Amino acid sequence: MVEDEPDVAETYNLWLRDEYEVRMAQNGDEALEMLDEAVDVVLLDRMMPGLSGDEVLERIRDSGFECRVAMVTAVEPDFDILEMGFDSYLTKPIRSEQLHETVGNLLERSTYDGLLQEYYSLVEKQATLEATKSSAELAESEEYANLTERIDNLQDDLSQTLGGIEDDEDFIATLRGLGNGDEH
């Protein structure tokens, strides 16, 4: 967990420590020093003194660590998130259940192959933008159109990989089955 506000960091720690081993860093440099192959999920604040969460995220991805990253931030998302390599985006304030659900989902996703991880990451970005942008803003955005096209293409690729799924409902059911350990 990378959070520069001690009260917020301690709250998240209290919520998670009974279920997970939690490492806490107060800034980006400290987080990068603590990062190793044993870290499965990083909860990363976007706005911090020193290295920003965006810079920390970029360094995590450049260094090749396989961890999942959730941005946990007060920064309202904009189209710049499309270029970022996070797996989930939570806007503060967040609730305990929301944090637990996100960590659980990210741990589950870490078992999926790269194509499925990319799909989930892009769908997360799409949902984040759809929750915070107007229909007009989305319609005017070339980046959003490209994102939607990439998701459609990935869905087609995954459908073929997973055995010729007929429609969206079958596709979603198959993905849920994979998440529950079912084989198709």
Side-chain angles (χ1 to χ4, degrees), residues 87-110:
D87 299 286
S88 187
Y89 198 99
L90 301 174
T91 305
K92 294 177 183 175
I94 60 170
R95 299 174 324 279
S96 173
E97 303 82 33
Q98 188 180 20
L99 193 61
H100 274 277
E101 182 179 322
T102 297
V103 171
N105 287 342
L106 292 177
L107 287 170
E108 183 178 298
R109 278 190 224 168
S110 67

Side-chain angles (χ1 to χ4, degrees), residues 30-94:
E30 187 179 342
L32 292 171
E33 288 173 19
M34 297 172 81
L35 188 64
D36 59 33
E37 294 298 329
V39 174
D40 296 313
V41 173
V42 175
L43 302 175
L44 181 59
D45 189 10
R46 199 166 173 192
M47 297 298 290
M48 299 180 291
L51 285 179
S52 71
D54 296 8
E55 293 168 314
V56 173
L57 174 61
E58 189 174 326
R59 291 188 187 186
I60 289 171
R61 295 303 184 222
D62 288 347
S63 63
F65 286 105
E66 294 294 322
C67 58
R68 305 293 97 217
V69 178
M71 302 302 281
V72 184
T73 180
V75 177
E76 284 295 320
D78 204 348
F79 291 106
D80 66 328
I81 68 169
L82 297 175
E83 301 302 319
M84 298 172 65
F86 63 81
D87 299 286
S88 187
Y89 198 99
L90 301 174
T91 305
K92 294 177 183 175
I94 60 170

Side-chain angles (χ1 to χ4, degrees), residues 8 17 51 56 87 108 113 118 125 129 167 170 172 179:
V8 174
R17 71 179 180 197
L51 285 179
V56 173
D87 299 286
E108 183 178 298
D113 71 11
E118 181 183 359
K125 291 173 183 177
L129 289 173
D167 58 25
D170 286 346
I172 291 167

